[in-house]
Amino acid sequence: MTTLKLNNRYPFLFENFFNESDYLPKTNFKSLPSVNVVEKTDGFVLEVAAPGLKKEDFKINFHENKLTISAESTVSNEETDKKYTRKEFSFNQFQRTFTLPQTVDVDKIEASYVDGVLNISI
């Protein structure tokens, strides 16, 4: 058995290796939404877990056999008291792209957003 001895010459390598933001695509979500791909007899369904968004927050584009799903949302809260005003802004966005087979009929792609899950039937 070999024991790996860490030295202090390159501590940033180990710190960055476990830092999620260094190897995931840049996004303002804490992590990318999970996506399930469900195979059906006549196609498949993408299930994107994206709670807290509204249907209007999503954009779905299809170009050159690539399906791109993106979402943006901005929330602004303001509290006013006699002595102060506090404003908080929250901005979230993500983008995922999937390469689809050339046999996909673009006109039959359908999407719905129910209970925090975006369902795209392809």
Side-chain angles (χ1 to χ4, degrees), residues 6-37:
L6 303 177
N7 64 35
N8 290 331
R9 290 179 62 191
Y10 304 104
F12 62 91
L13 290 175
F14 297 101
E15 291 170 12
N16 287 340
F17 182 77
F18 294 105
N19 184 350
E20 179 175 287
S21 65
D22 288 337
Y23 62 87
L24 284 175
K26 298 302 178 201
T27 176
N28 287 340
F29 275 82
K30 297 209 185 287
S31 64
L32 286 174
S34 298
V35 177
N36 294 327
V37 179

Side-chain angles (χ1 to χ4, degrees), residues 34-65:
S34 298
V35 177
N36 294 327
V37 179
V38 181
E39 190 171 351
K40 303 277 187 171
T41 56
D42 59 343
F44 53 96
V45 176
L46 297 177
E47 300 172 335
V48 182
L53 297 173
K54 294 179 273 184
K55 185 172 78 170
E56 302 82 39
D57 295 333
F58 292 98
K59 290 182 185 172
I60 301 171
N61 294 312
F62 186 79
H63 181 68
E64 295 180 358
N65 286 19

